[in-house]
Amino acid sequence: MLTLIRQEIYKLIKKPSFLVFWIGLTTCQVVVASCALRYPKVLRPQSAFLNSFYAPIVIMFYMIAVGSTQLSSEIQFGTLKSLLYRRYSSTKILISKWLTLLLCAVTAYVGSLIVSLILKALLLNNRFSLNESITQHGKIWQAWLLTNISSFLTMLFLMSFVFLLATLFVNSTPAIITGVSTLDCIIKVTTQKM
């Protein structure tokens, strides 16, 4: 199983989209932090930080794309059969792919949290304090962690759902479309005013 996970991590890291994702994620966070610094009436610095400078949205789109194409491309190009001819069962292959996605998601979230803290310290340090209290949520750092944990769990649900759909289809397009549509529905439901 560890061999399969190592192989999946190697394949994921060697994709050009992996480097583009990390550069894009960091750039997106820097741009949002700069906008919050320059236009505080449009984008409040405190709100931008609480949402990790909108990194979870970029991570969710990337994980939906990777989760759907990781399995369906192997089915499409016939490389899955070569794994099945070896001693590995299809269950082990699927679990190793899912664990690789989970490891990639955890790494992306931890990386975005670290970048958020660095951007807070470099750009927004004099705007607000992490120990400052906000209404009904405790301190800012507590609300920040809870917001990120909640978006991580939402992303895990979406990633599992898209991965399940990718096992059903030979092409990754239906899984991506369904995953993005589900993400859109979740965003609409969670931002609705009660």
Side-chain angles (χ1 to χ4, degrees), residues 5-24:
I5 293 173
R6 271 189 261 127
Q7 289 173 348
E8 291 300 322
I9 291 172
Y10 179 78
K11 285 191 283 187
L12 185 66
I13 290 173
K14 288 299 178 182
K15 286 183 179 180
S17 63
F18 186 74
L19 181 62
V20 171
F21 163 70
W22 280 104
I23 293 170

Side-chain angles (χ1 to χ4, degrees), residues 61-163:
F61 278 115
Y62 179 73
M63 294 311 296
I64 287 171
V66 169
S68 64
T69 58
Q70 190 179 24
L71 183 64
S72 59
S73 64
E74 291 213 14
I75 294 170
Q76 198 171 12
F77 297 124
T79 54
L80 188 62
K81 288 181 183 177
S82 65
L83 283 174
L84 291 173
Y85 287 137
R86 294 184 194 170
R87 63 175 190 244
Y88 304 117
S89 68
S90 59
T91 306
K92 284 184 180 180
I93 293 170
L94 290 174
I95 289 172
S96 70
K97 288 183 180 297
W98 194 87
L99 287 175
T100 302
L101 287 174
L102 178 65
L103 186 64
C104 179
V106 168
T107 305
Y109 264 87
V110 169
S112 73
L113 293 177
I114 291 169
V115 170
S116 294
L117 286 173
I118 291 170
L119 288 173
K120 159 69 173 99
L122 293 178
L123 298 177
L124 305 174
N125 205 19
N126 60 350
R127 301 287 176 150
F128 61 92
S129 169
L130 291 178
N131 287 324
E132 196 175 298
S133 291
I134 56 177
T135 59
Q136 298 174 348
H137 297 294
K139 299 186 185 302
I140 288 179
W141 69 269
Q142 293 169 332
W144 175 65
L145 282 178
L146 288 175
T147 301
N148 282 291
I149 289 170
S150 134
S151 67
F152 179 76
L153 293 175
T154 303
M155 193 262 327
L156 276 182
F157 164 73
L158 274 175
M159 189 175 68
S160 299
F161 183 64
V162 167
F163 194 72

Side-chain angles (χ1 to χ4, degrees), residues 45-57:
Q46 188 178 30
S47 175
F49 176 76
L50 283 175
N51 292 308
S52 289
F53 304 106
Y54 300 102
I57 295 172

Side-chain angles (χ1 to χ4, degrees), residues 24-38:
L25 179 66
T26 307
T27 304
C28 175
Q29 285 185 286
V30 169
V31 166
V32 171
S34 299
C35 287
L37 181 66
R38 186 164 171 95

